[in-house]
Amino acid sequence: MQRAVEDAIKNYENVDSWKTIIFLYNAALKEVGTKLEILNEEFQHVHQYNPIEHIKTRIKTPESIVKKLHRYGYETSIENMVKYINDIAGVRLICSFTSDIYRLAEMIGNQDDLKVLSIKDYIKNPKESGYKSYHMLVSVPIFLSDGPIDTKVEIQIRTIAMDFWASLEHKIYYKFEGNAPEHISRELKECADMVSELDDKMLSLNEEILTFKAVTEE
Ligand code: GTP
Ligand code: MG
């Protein structure tokens, strides 16, 4: 099978090659998804608390893969897709509080079998649009019958509020093909500031509640 993957990368005109590659990314998604579920359950077991509110996984559609290759200026080939498209397999972790995001990022970084290839912290450095999220590109070894293959998975970690904002912004971006009227972009930016304020307030409220609980339990 490892051989089959290598052949698939070279022999991209073949529909079977495409299937082999998608099989690999699906396996990577399962590995990372299960790993994160276990970490979340362990955290619940030890601290009676879930850092992950929910997990979404997805495989990029062939249409978006081809579109992205074009946007990057590469020809459509399986070799280019494996090399240049980092988010074929994507996992999104939705948390309640910003502190959960960094806790999760640290837990992921400490997993011996995951290699962290890059990190983009759009919480400390939000995008021009107002987008906030913590992105990690990792690779996970997929153990096939004749050896392992490192496979890339993009992990996006954000709060419920950040996710709410990002899905609306994404919808608007597509609707206007990136050219939204000025007042819409401005109001979205205002919403992004409100999201940050909400996240900060919810976090400090939660911290206060936790210390209150600790006092009454003494
Ligand atoms: P892409 O080529 O768009 O993937 O960008 P990149 O490879 O430089 O990676 P980046 O970390 O900037 O973005 C990766 C993903 O984050 C995107 O595919 C989106 O899912 C999400 N994202 C990035 N910027 C925005 C944004 O402004 N709004 C929304 N809604 N999502 C964003
Ligand atoms: Mg990307």
Side-chain angles (χ1 to χ4, degrees), residues 90-113:
V91 179
R92 194 169 283 160
L93 305 179
I94 315 295
C95 313
S96 293
F97 304 105
T98 318
S99 52
D100 295 329
I101 298 176
Y102 290 101
R103 194 171 284 149
L104 280 167
E106 197 189 332
M107 278 157 60
I108 292 167
N110 286 338
Q111 299 293 302
D112 282 347
D113 51 349

Side-chain angles (χ1 to χ4, degrees), residues 68 71-72 87 120 122 127 129 131 135 156 166 169:
K68 198 160 187 168
R71 179 154 62 86
Y72 287 175
D87 62 343
K120 290 182 195 163
Y122 295 126
K127 284 209 166 180
S129 58
Y131 177 75
H135 294 183
Q156 299 182 346
E169 195 265 354

Side-chain angles (χ1 to χ4, degrees), residues 116-130:
V116 178
L117 304 177
S118 69
I119 289 176
K120 290 182 195 163
D121 187 345
Y122 295 126
I123 296 168
K124 293 214 166 77
N125 304 300
K127 284 209 166 180
E128 188 69 21
S129 58

Side-chain angles (χ1 to χ4, degrees), residues 12-136:
Y12 55 85
E13 306 229 354
N14 192 325
V15 175
D16 281 344
S17 299
W18 170 265
K19 285 189 187 153
T20 304
I21 294 299
I22 292 303
F23 156 83
L24 193 67
Y25 283 99
N26 254 316
L29 213 50
K30 274 194 205 163
E31 286 279 0
V32 173
T34 305
K35 181 180 260 309
L36 291 165
E37 273 170 29
I38 292 172
L39 281 175
N40 201 32
E41 283 166 24
E42 184 210 13
F43 211 87
Q44 167 71 43
H45 185 67
V46 177
H47 304 284
Q48 289 74 52
Y49 176 73
N50 282 325
I52 305 175
E53 192 65 40
H54 56 274
I55 303 181
K56 294 181 205 166
T57 59
R58 69 106 185 83
I59 292 283
K60 209 174 186 68
T61 61
E63 293 78 15
S64 334
I65 291 173
V66 170
K67 245 187 174 162
K68 198 160 187 168
L69 279 175
H70 279 192
R71 179 154 62 86
Y72 287 175
Y74 298 114
E75 273 176 45
T76 308
S77 75
I78 288 184
E79 192 171 5
N80 283 345
M81 137 186 175
V82 169
K83 209 159 153 190
Y84 300 114
I85 311 284
N86 292 330
D87 62 343
I88 296 173
V91 179
R92 194 169 283 160
L93 305 179
I94 315 295
C95 313
S96 293
F97 304 105
T98 318
S99 52
D100 295 329
I101 298 176
Y102 290 101
R103 194 171 284 149
L104 280 167
E106 197 189 332
M107 278 157 60
I108 292 167
N110 286 338
Q111 299 293 302
D112 282 347
D113 51 349
L114 292 186
K115 246 186 261 153
V116 178
L117 304 177
S118 69
I119 289 176
K120 290 182 195 163
D121 187 345
Y122 295 126
I123 296 168
K124 293 214 166 77
N125 304 300
K127 284 209 166 180
E128 188 69 21
S129 58
Y131 177 75
K132 284 179 126 195
S133 196
Y134 191 94
H135 294 183
M136 298 178 89

